[in-house]
Amino acid sequence: MTTPRDRRPPPRERVVLAQRRGARRVRSRVEVQEQTEIGDAFVRGLIRAQLGLALRVGGVAATALAALPVLFLLVPSIADVSVAGIGLPWLILGVAVYPVLFAACRFYVRRADRNEQEFVDLVDD
């Protein structure tokens, strides 16, 4: 017969669901520099974001500029208005367009810089 002191628990055993031999940590900066598939995907994502931004800003600016001749055609009384002896359509096309284009360009540059900073933050993590 065995006494309670003679009974020993079985030795502990470590249970591992899966061995991770050969698993590597993703090093994004190295992946981009070495132009691997992962790095290529990162760069393609940045290029896609920059292209989408350029197309959206350019499309809005082109639509706004293309709408001016349509406006002048639909409202012919605008041609009769003059400011300081210069017709309103000429003032709009010659003066008022540039601040709008400047604002669009400024928006584009700021957003493009933000895209690039997000890319750098993603790669550095």
Side-chain angles (χ1 to χ4, degrees), residues 78-119:
I78 292 177
D80 298 334
V81 178
S82 65
V83 177
I86 302 172
L88 185 60
W90 286 105
L91 282 176
I92 291 173
L93 290 173
V95 177
V97 168
Y98 293 105
V100 173
L101 289 176
F102 179 78
C105 294
R106 185 169 169 89
F107 172 79
Y108 173 78
V109 168
R110 285 183 163 209
R111 187 60 195 155
D113 285 342
R114 188 178 305 154
N115 285 347
E116 290 174 6
Q117 187 60 46
E118 288 172 0
F119 174 75

